[in-house]
Amino acid sequence: MIFLKYRFLLFPLFALAMALCVDRFFAIPAIQRELILWKKIEPPLYESRKELQKQLLQKLPVHRRSGKTPALILGSSRSARFPGDVIDERLKNSVTYNFSAPLAPPSFYYYWLDQLQSRNVPLRFVLIEADSMLFTNKAIEYSLSYSYDTGFVLRNTIFFHDSRSPWKRGEGGFSTDEMGTFLLKRLFVTYRYPFSLDTIHDNHKSLTLLDAKKGVITRPALELHDAMIDQIQEINEKKLGGIPEVFTTRIDASDLPRDALLTFENMQLKNFRSSPAQIYFFKTIVENLATRQIPVIVYAPVLSRELRSLMAMEPEIVKFQKSVADFIDEAKRKHPESLVLYENFNESSRLQCREFEDSFHLSSVCFQKLTDLILNDLQAEENKKDTIRFSPDGRD
Amino acid sequence: MRFTTLPFFIFFIIAYVAYWNIKGRNRLWLLFVSSLLFYAAWSIGFTLHFILIITINYFLGRRLHEKKSKPILIASLLLNFSNLFLFKYFYLFLQALHDLTKNPLLLAENFNAILNKTTGLDSIVLPLAISFYTFQITAFLIDEYRGQIKNKTSFLEFAVFILFFPQLVAGPIMRHEEFLPKLHKIRADEGHISAGLFFLLLGLIKKVVIADNMIAPTTDVYLHPENYNGLSNAFATLGYAVRLYNDFSGYTDIARGIGLLLGLPLPLNFKGPYLALSIKDFWRRWHITLSSWLRDYIYIPLGGNRTTKLRSYINLVITFTLGGMWHGAAYTFVAWGFYTGVTLVAEQSLHSLFGRLAQNNKGVIAETLFAHKAQWIWKIIGNALLYTWTLGLFLIGLSFFNGINLQNALTMVQRIFTMARGIANPLNEFIFYQFLITILFNLLEVRGKRIFHENRFLTWGSLCLFTVVTMLLLGRYASGGGDFIYFQF
C-alpha cells in the first residue's frame, strides 16, 4: 500500500486528526464555559429549548387529563414577551409554551413544530413571527450554531439550484452552504464556541452591580453567566419558556432614532435580501398548519416609527412585506375552513400603546393590550368558523 | 462545491486517499470522475453541457493536431466564443442595444418574460467557470494550430486538463505544457505534500479570516458613495483591494495546495502584487496566468510592441479592455479594462519621457540626487512615489471594478479626489490594519522560498501546529462566508 511506502502521504491526514483532537478539548463543559462571553445569552437560550420540549412531552398526559391543549409561540425575542398565563387564562383550554429565541428565523420555528408534530402533540394554535429582520441570511446564524439536529438539516436541504422566486417555488429548504456550515459547526466545536483570548479575559473580570437588596456588589462575570442560566431554567419551568425580563436592555426614547439607524444597518435591513430558505420554511409552516386546521397567527412585531421609516425606504423590504401579506391572503383563500390570522399593528390605531425598549422591541407594558387584541381576533374568527360550521341550514 | 465547506472537505479526503492508492491511467479516470462530480454538485444540466463542449473541442483539437487548418481554428474559436457570448455577454449586448434604441422589448426583464413563456426558463444562467475554461480551451486549440503541442493528447488527458477540479472554477488558467506532461509523471513527493498542506491552510486563512470579513466594511460605501466622505471612499477601495487579493490569491493558494497534494503543481498566479513599483510590474504579479494569456493570444497577435509606438499603445488598450470584459458583462468592467490599459500607456509614455530627461541630464542628476550620502534617501522617496502611483491607480480602478454601475464608480472617484464631506466609515482603521496583514502575505509570496526546513520533524511539526492554529482562526473569524469573487467570472 502506497501509504506504507510513502508515509509522508499520511501527514496531512495526521495533521487534520491532530486538529480534531485539539478541537475535542474545547468540548469539555468547563472549557466551553470559558469560551462563551458571559453576557452572551443566546447559546443557553437556544439550547434550553430542548429542555422545554422535554418538559412539554413529560407534561402532555397531565395537560390532556385537564382538557388543555398546548399552544406554541415561535418567534424571536419580540414574541418572548407574550404572557402565556394570560393567554391560557383567557382561552381556558390551552397551555402556552413559548419557544421564542433571539433572532430566531422561520427555520427554527419549523424545527420545533416538526419535532412536536412528529410526536403527535396536538396544538391549540401556533403563533409565528413574520418580520424582514428574520428573513435575512444573518438571522440563521444562531440557530445553525445552537439548534437543529443533523437529520432535520439533511432532510430539509435543497441540493439543486432553483432560480425561480421563492414565493412561487414548491420545493425549498436550507441551501447546501447552510447545510455545510451546520455540519462544520457540528464537527468542529471551535466553530460554535470560538477560541478568543479577549472572551476568556472578559469572563474573568469582576463586575460591579447594583442589587435591589444588597446595594452595590461585585461579582465575577462567569458567576453572573451561571445566574443567567439559572434564570432561563426557572422561566422554562415556571412560565413555560420565553426570555427572562432581566435580560432586556432599555434605552431612552431620545435614543430611538440613533438605535433605529444602527439596527437598520447591523441587521442587514439596509440593502435587504431575503433568504429563499426562510421564505420556504415560513410558507411550509403556514401550509402545514392550515392543512391540519390548526389556527395559525402570523404576527408582525411592532417596530418603532423611526425604524419603520427607514425600512419604508428600502424597496426590497416593502416588496417582501407585500409578499408576506399576499401569501397569507392566498393561504386563507386556499384553506377557507382553516384559521389563518395576520396580525400587523404597525400602522393600526387599534394598539395605542407605543412604548419601546429599543427600536425593534415593544415594551412588555404593551403586551397585555397586544395579547388581548390578538386573542379577540382569534376568538372572533373561531366563533365565525363555528357559526359557519354549525349554521341553521344544516351545513357542516 | 466551495472549497471552504464540509462537503468539499469530505470529498477531497476521499479523493486524496483513493488517488494515492491507485496507479497509472486509473488515476486519470479518478481525476476525471471526481472533477465531473465537483462540477455536477453545482448543476447536472450544465455538466452535460460542459462535457459536450469538451468533446467537440477535443475533436477539433485532434484535427488541428493532424493538419494546420485555419478554417477549423476559426470554427473552433467561433464555437467557444459564441458559447461564452450567449451565456455571459448576451444581457450586456441586450442592454447596449436598448441604450441605443430605447426599445422596451430589449430590457432584460421583458426578454426574460418571453424566455419564460417559451421555454419555462427564468433567465439565461451563467455556467460556472465558463470564462476560465473558454480561455484554457482556446489556448490549447491555438497552440495545436501553431504546432506547439508535439504529442497527441488523449480524450481523457484533455478532459482532465480542462476539468481538473482544483483550478476549474477560478484558475490558474493553465497552458498545456504546464499540466499535460505532468500527468504521466505523478510521483509521491514529500516536498509537494508539505507545500500543498501549507498552501491549503494559508489559502483558507486568506479567504475566511481576511477576505470574508472585508465584505461588511466596504459594501455600503460602494453602494452609496455619495453618503460617505472622500477618505472613506478611498478606504473602501483599499478595503476592496484587500478583499480581492485575499479572496483570489486565497483561492489560488487552495487550488495550488490541492494540486500539490495530488502531485500536480499548478502555475503561480500571484507574486506580491501589492509590492509593485510600477503598473507594468503590477500586472506581472497579479493574476499572472490571465495577463500572460492576454499577452500571448491577443496583444502579440495584434502586433504587440513590434510596431509603431502609437499602434503598440492602441494594442495595449484593446488588450486590457478585452481583459476587463472577460471579468464581467457590465459597462463597469469595460471601463475598468479601458482605464487599466490607459494607465499602462500613460506610465510607458512617462517612462520614455523621464528616461530621455534622465539621459540628457545624467551629470546633474548624478551630482545632486545620487550623491553618496543622499542616495538611500532618494531611493526611499522615489520608491514611495512609485508605490503611491502604482497602488493609487489600481485603487481608483477598483471603483469601477466593484462599482454597481458607472455612475456610482464616477461618484466614488470624484469624492476621493475632491475629498468630499460626508459620513466617516468607522471601519477605516480596521481596513488599514487588514491592508498591513495583506502586505505581509505579499512579502511571503515574494520572499517565502525557504518556508520548509531540511529537518523533517521541524517541518511537519510546524505544519501540525499551523493546522491547529488555522482551525482556531477559522472558528474565531468565519463569518458564514461568501462565494469566491472570481466564481462570478
Side-chain angles (χ1 to χ4, degrees), chain B residues 131-249:
Chain B
S131 305
F132 287 91
Y133 74 63
T134 300
F135 269 30
Q136 201 155 301
I137 290 171
T138 306
F140 180 86
L141 293 172
I142 294 173
D143 289 349
E144 282 280 30
Y145 174 78
R146 287 174 179 170
Q148 290 171 349
I149 305 178
K150 299 291 174 226
N151 300 323
K152 211 189 249 185
T153 310
S154 70
F155 177 79
L156 183 60
E157 287 163 353
F158 180 71
V160 170
F161 169 59
I162 301 301
L163 277 167
F164 189 50
F165 71 87
Q167 59 83 48
L168 170 63
V169 186
I173 301 170
M174 294 195 293
R175 307 291 185 90
H176 68 93
E177 71 272 16
E178 289 169 331
F179 189 78
L180 287 170
K182 292 174 187 164
L183 286 178
H184 302 289
K185 295 177 194 169
I186 298 170
R187 299 276 180 272
D189 180 287
E190 190 169 346
H192 282 171
I193 299 299
S194 55
L197 181 60
F198 174 80
F199 282 117
L200 178 60
L201 296 171
L202 182 66
L204 285 172
I205 290 175
K206 280 180 174 177
K207 164 63 177 162
V208 177
V209 177
I210 309 292
D212 285 349
N213 287 300
M214 292 307 296
I215 298 173
T218 56
T219 300
D220 199 58
V221 184
Y222 268 93
L223 285 172
H224 303 287
E226 67 279 4
N227 292 343
Y228 293 88
N229 62 23
L231 191 66
S232 296
N233 274 276
F235 267 97
T237 61
L238 185 67
Y240 187 73
V242 169
R243 181 184 162 201
L244 186 63
Y245 168 80
N246 284 289
D247 189 284
F248 194 16
S249 72

Side-chain angles (χ1 to χ4, degrees), chain B residues 240 244 282-283 286-287 290 294 317 319-328 330-343 393-403 406 409 486 489:
Chain B
Y240 187 73
L244 186 63
F282 182 90
W283 290 103
W286 179 281
H287 203 172
L290 176 67
L294 292 171
V317 172
T319 302
F320 272 89
T321 305
L322 291 173
M325 276 188 72
W326 174 88
H327 282 83
Y331 292 147
T332 47
F333 289 110
V334 179
W336 172 77
F338 179 78
Y339 163 85
T340 305
V342 165
T343 55
L393 285 176
F394 178 66
L395 294 183
I396 289 167
L398 291 183
S399 306
F400 294 94
F401 189 88
N402 191 41
L406 280 176
Y486 269 68
F489 306 145

Side-chain angles (χ1 to χ4, degrees), chain B residues 307-487:
Chain B
T307 176
T308 62
K309 196 161 251 180
L310 176 65
R311 184 56 208 258
S312 73
Y313 288 166
I314 292 171
N315 292 341
L316 209 50
V317 172
I318 292 172
T319 302
F320 272 89
T321 305
L322 291 173
M325 276 188 72
W326 174 88
H327 282 83
Y331 292 147
T332 47
F333 289 110
V334 179
W336 172 77
F338 179 78
Y339 163 85
T340 305
V342 165
T343 55
L344 255 167
V345 164
E347 184 179 82
Q348 285 193 11
S349 311
L350 285 169
H351 193 261
S352 307
L353 176 68
F354 282 123
R356 278 200 303 274
L357 277 172
Q359 193 63 34
N360 296 340
N361 298 283
K362 226 187 212 172
V364 172
I365 292 166
E367 262 182 49
T368 54
L369 295 184
F370 296 105
H372 260 289
K373 285 175 191 172
Q375 201 169 5
W376 65 272
I377 297 172
W378 288 116
K379 196 169 181 186
I380 289 172
I381 294 171
N383 283 348
L385 286 170
L386 289 171
Y387 188 77
T388 307
W389 159 265
T390 307
L391 186 66
L393 285 176
F394 178 66
L395 294 183
I396 289 167
L398 291 183
S399 306
F400 294 94
F401 189 88
N402 191 41
I404 56 166
N405 54 46
L406 280 176
Q407 180 59 45
N408 262 31
L410 289 167
T411 302
M412 241 183 147
V413 174
Q414 180 252 324
R415 291 185 80 78
I416 291 170
F417 278 103
T418 58
M419 291 309 284
R421 288 179 179 227
I423 307 167
N425 184 358
L427 295 167
N428 285 343
E429 197 180 327
F430 172 75
I431 291 172
F432 179 69
Y433 293 136
Q434 299 295 85
F435 177 68
L436 292 180
I437 294 172
T438 302
I439 293 297
L440 287 175
F441 287 141
N442 275 254
L443 283 167
L444 190 65
E445 269 172 0
V446 170
R447 290 174 198 276
K449 282 175 190 164
R450 278 198 60 82
I451 300 166
F452 305 103
H453 204 271
E454 278 139 15
N455 182 319
R456 182 195 244 185
F457 181 74
L458 207 60
T459 298
W460 285 108
S462 310
L463 281 170
C464 280
L465 185 62
F466 190 32
T467 307
V468 171
V469 168
T470 303
M471 178 194 72
L472 293 176
L473 284 173
L474 296 187
R476 173 78 176 85
Y477 292 105
S479 65
D483 271 336
F484 286 99
I485 293 171
Y486 269 68
F487 275 24

Side-chain angles (χ1 to χ4, degrees), chain B residues 255-325:
Chain B
R256 291 183 69 219
I258 293 171
L260 283 164
L261 286 167
L262 298 174
L264 290 165
L266 300 180
L268 197 62
N269 221 6
F270 288 88
K271 208 173 170 189
Y274 292 164
L275 303 174
L277 294 179
S278 70
I279 297 166
K280 187 176 179 182
D281 189 32
F282 182 90
W283 290 103
R284 284 197 184 134
R285 297 165 178 253
W286 179 281
H287 203 172
I288 297 168
T289 57
L290 176 67
S291 304
S292 58
W293 193 99
L294 292 171
R295 180 198 63 211
D296 294 342
Y297 300 103
I298 297 180
Y299 181 64
I300 290 174
L302 282 175
N305 59 6
R306 284 170 292 154
T307 176
T308 62
K309 196 161 251 180
L310 176 65
R311 184 56 208 258
S312 73
Y313 288 166
I314 292 171
N315 292 341
L316 209 50
V317 172
I318 292 172
T319 302
F320 272 89
T321 305
L322 291 173
M325 276 188 72

Side-chain angles (χ1 to χ4, degrees), chain B residues 19 22-37 154-157 159-160 163 183 186:
Chain B
Y19 181 83
I22 58 180
K23 286 182 185 167
R25 207 159 172 76
N26 290 332
R27 254 186 208 151
L28 296 192
W29 279 109
L30 177 70
L31 285 178
F32 174 67
V33 169
S34 50
S35 299
L36 271 182
L37 283 172
S154 70
F155 177 79
L156 183 60
E157 287 163 353
V160 170
L163 277 167
L183 286 178
I186 298 170

Side-chain angles (χ1 to χ4, degrees), chain A residues 337-395:
Chain A
E337 70 291 352
S338 301
L339 207 158
V340 181
L341 274 178
Y342 184 32
E343 301 286 44
N344 186 346
F345 297 99
N346 279 293
E347 305 295 338
S348 166
S349 57
R350 290 172 68 200
L351 181 69
Q352 295 289 315
C353 182
R354 296 286 164 153
E355 271 187 51
F356 290 92
E357 287 164 5
D358 57 39
S359 57
F360 59 107
H361 283 94
L362 188 69
S363 171
S364 49
V365 304
C366 298
F367 267 78
Q368 178 69 54
K369 183 61 186 168
L370 176 66
T371 307
D372 282 342
L373 288 170
I374 292 174
L375 290 177
N376 287 346
D377 292 344
L378 174 66
Q379 286 179 315
E381 282 297 313
E382 284 182 328
N383 290 339
K384 218 191 281 177
K385 300 267 181 229
D386 285 342
T387 307
I388 292 167
R389 206 176 293 132
F390 301 112
S391 66
D393 64 4
R395 263 189 306 158

